[in-house]
């Protein structure tokens, strides 16, 4: 079993105290349960992945007919939120099996993160509509006195030369409702019964927004006190092992 | 705005239940854990509760006079620093936040003692 991610919903934020008595802000995510709706294979699709859907007990009539047929193929319940996640070979002795230990119709629960310390979360940020430069690009804005004009941009370039505005000039426009990835959020708790995942820090999007949670792609390297004492830096560990052998 | 039932359940789980019931106008003795090197000891902070904040991130403010100087400490209810809270006595108060005590000293800062469950 080697799916690297799961779909979920953002529930809300709160805070927890750890054993040291320090307080941490946490985001509560409802992660899964998910079903694998389709397996993409190297032979057929050119890459290995699993297409998973978040089981929310939606009505069959809420899913369009093409998708209904798609779900019927792998005999899974109707789902609305579908994404692809990567596969990882769970053991080195996977022997390159075609199914890779997973098959369509399998359930994915939050327990895939039981041994993980960090996760990446992909969400859709809150919409801000047509936003000015101060909000959208964090410009300083104008003076608050001296015949003020508060939230203005100022100059957007020189005059007769070059007689045009350079591409990429930051200006007001639509802001938000973008895909945003937050990497390396530390897992602060897992509730397998309730399918809850508590991560430290904020997650993009509104409450009840859909998120894709996956195992950290680039978890932080072990430094003193960082990542906990349990994390092992593979680079350092291999160096240590080889140094030990030489002696 | 209603709270998500999942958050409500979680808040109930995280809330500590060993503290006695107390509110503004009560004098409490808070046993504070203090770490000195490897050793941990308890220090009492006794004063009047002048404000409380409810909810999953609730806290209470304790004010005392220390050598003629007013000292206030804010404790989160769920803080691991708070070992124990004892209710010493209660006073009659008519508001939820007793910030007006900050401007009063000596005899003027007295309150009427009452029996409260």
């Amino acid at each position: 079993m080697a799916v690297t991610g799961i779909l979920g919903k953002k529930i809300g934020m709160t805070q927890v105290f750890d054993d040291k008595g320090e307080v941490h802000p946490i985001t509560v995510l409802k992660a899964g349960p998910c079903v694998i709706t389709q397996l993409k294979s190297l032979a057929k699709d050119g890459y290995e992945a699993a297409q998973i859907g978040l089981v929310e007990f939606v009505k069959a009539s809420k899913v369009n007919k093409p998708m209904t047929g798609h779900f019927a193929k792998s005999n899974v319940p109707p789902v609305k939120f579908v994404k692809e996640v990567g596969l990882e070979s769970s053991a080195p002795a996977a022997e390159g099996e075609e199914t890779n230990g997973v098959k369509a119709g399998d359930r994915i629960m939050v327990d895939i993160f039981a041994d993980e310390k960090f996760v990446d979360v992909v969400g859709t940020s809150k919409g801000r509509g047509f936003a000015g430069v101060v909000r959208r690009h964090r410009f300083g804005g104008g003076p608050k006195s001296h015949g003020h004009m508060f939230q203005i941009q100022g100059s957007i370039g020189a005059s007769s030369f070059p007689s045009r505005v350079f591409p990429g000039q930051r200006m007001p426009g639509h802001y938000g409702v973008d895909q945003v990835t937050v990497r390396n959020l530390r897992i602060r708790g897992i509730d397998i019964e309730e399918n809850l995942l508590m991560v430290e820090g904020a997650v993009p999007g509104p409450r009840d927004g859909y998120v894709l949670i996956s195992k950290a792609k680039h978890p932080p390297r072990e430094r003193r006190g960082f990542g906990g004492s349990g994390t092992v830096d593979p680079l350092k560990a291999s160096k240590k092992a080889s140094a030990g052998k030489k002696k | 705005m209603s709270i998500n039932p999942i958050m409500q359940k979680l808040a109930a789980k995280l809330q500590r239940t060993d503290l006695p019931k107390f509110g503004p106008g009560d004098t409490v003795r808070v046993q504070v854990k203090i770490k000195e090197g490897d050793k941990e000891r308890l220090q009492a902070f006794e004063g009047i509760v002048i404000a409380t904040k409810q909810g999953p991130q609730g806290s209470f403010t304790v004010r005392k006079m220390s050598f003629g100087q007013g000292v206030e400490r804010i404790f989160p209810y769920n803080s691991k620093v708070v070992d124990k809270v004892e209710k010493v006595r209660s006073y009659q108060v008519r508001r939820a936040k007793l910030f007006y005590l900050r401007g009063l000293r000596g005899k003027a800062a007295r309150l009427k003692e009452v029996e409260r469950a």
Side-chain angles (χ1 to χ4, degrees):
Chain A
M1 292 300 290
V3 179
T4 53
I6 195 167
L7 305 177
K9 254 183 174 186
K10 176 169 159 182
I11 301 293
M13 291 192 76
T14 183
Q15 61 181 26
V16 290
F17 287 85
D18 67 3
D19 302 332
K20 278 189 208 157
E22 285 166 5
V23 69
H24 299 282
I26 59 161
T27 305
V28 183
L29 303 168
K30 189 165 173 60
C34 288
V35 286
I36 297 178
T37 52
Q38 191 191 1
L39 277 180
K40 305 262 175 170
S41 66
L42 201 60
K44 204 173 173 194
D45 306 287
Y47 62 99
E48 295 267 341
Q51 189 190 62
I52 61 173
L54 178 63
V55 177
E56 293 176 283
F57 307 104
V58 291
K59 273 192 234 164
S61 59
K62 294 281 176 192
V63 180
N64 63 21
K65 276 185 182 166
M67 289 313 274
T68 309
H70 179 62
F71 298 142
K73 246 186 247 171
S74 42
N75 198 20
V76 293
V79 289
K80 290 217 80 175
F81 184 47
V82 176
K83 285 260 179 212
E84 275 184 24
V85 293
L87 292 169
E88 60 176 12
S89 46
S90 52
E95 290 299 312
E97 267 181 60
E98 205 175 356
T99 52
N100 206 3
V102 289
K103 59 180 190 301
D106 273 357
R107 266 169 177 275
I108 309 163
M109 307 301 266
V110 70
D111 58 10
I112 58 167
F113 299 122
D115 298 330
E116 297 291 316
K117 281 206 160 58
F118 294 94
V119 288
D120 297 341
V121 178
V122 183
T124 308
S125 63
K126 280 183 186 172
R128 277 101 167 161
F130 193 99
V133 284
V134 174
R135 171 169 287 220
R136 192 178 183 213
H137 299 298
R138 300 286 173 254
F139 278 16
K144 286 174 185 165
S145 57
H146 302 298
H148 45 72
M149 286 195 285
F150 289 129
Q151 300 226 330
I152 50 138
Q153 180 176 14
S155 166
I156 56 167
S159 178
S160 60
F161 183 79
S163 283
R164 65 191 177 96
V165 175
F166 289 119
Q169 171 66 37
R170 293 175 296 171
M171 285 196 184
H174 182 263
Y175 180 40
V177 202
D178 298 319
Q179 177 176 306
V180 178
T181 306
V182 184
R183 290 206 190 279
N184 298 334
L185 295 174
R186 185 191 299 264
I187 296 176
R188 281 284 169 198
I190 291 178
D191 190 336
I192 287 171
E193 278 169 31
E194 302 260 354
N195 294 312
L196 295 183
L197 184 70
M198 274 77 90
V199 297
E200 182 171 349
V203 163
R207 270 170 292 176
D208 280 340
Y210 286 117
V211 289
L212 166 67
I213 312 156
S214 55
K215 293 177 183 176
K217 201 173 177 188
H218 303 294
R221 293 232 327 252
E222 190 190 6
R223 259 173 271 147
R224 194 181 303 149
F226 199 71
S229 56
T231 50
V232 180
D233 179 9
L235 205 78
K236 275 185 189 168
S238 65
K239 259 186 191 169
K240 216 178 235 179
S242 63
K245 266 179 207 168
K246 272 174 199 168
K247 280 172 193 173
Chain B
M1 197 176 65
S2 62
I3 303 168
N4 192 304
I6 296 172
M7 292 303 285
Q8 231 161 8
K9 222 183 216 176
L10 194 73
K13 211 186 280 177
L14 295 173
Q15 201 73 28
R16 79 192 267 185
T17 50
D18 58 328
L19 297 181
K21 235 183 133 184
F22 58 89
D26 292 343
T27 298
V28 291
R29 190 180 297 131
V30 185
Q31 299 289 351
V32 186
K33 276 186 207 158
I34 290 183
K35 222 170 182 180
E36 285 174 342
D38 297 338
K39 264 190 261 173
E40 216 176 48
R41 67 179 180 86
L42 293 179
Q43 192 184 57
F45 188 91
E46 189 177 332
I48 187 163
V49 177
I50 62 165
T52 63
K53 198 175 158 183
Q54 303 302 325
Q57 296 168 35
S59 62
F60 58 97
T61 308
V62 182
R63 176 179 174 86
K64 76 164 178 183
M65 294 303 284
S66 172
F67 302 104
Q69 188 71 40
V71 177
E72 281 179 22
R73 260 190 99 165
I74 304 167
F75 300 99
Y77 279 111
N78 294 331
S79 171
K80 295 268 162 70
V81 171
V82 176
D83 186 61
K84 199 164 60 171
V85 177
E86 300 155 56
K87 201 159 134 183
V88 182
R89 59 182 85 85
S90 302
Y91 296 100
Q92 187 188 40
V93 290
R94 300 177 71 159
R95 51 210 84 227
K97 313 283 181 200
L98 310 178
F99 297 140
Y100 69 90
L101 287 177
R102 288 173 178 164
L104 303 177
R105 249 151 240 257
K107 272 190 180 177
R110 281 174 307 172
L111 295 167
K112 194 176 164 193
E113 192 165 342
V114 287
E115 281 287 321
R116 216 183 293 157

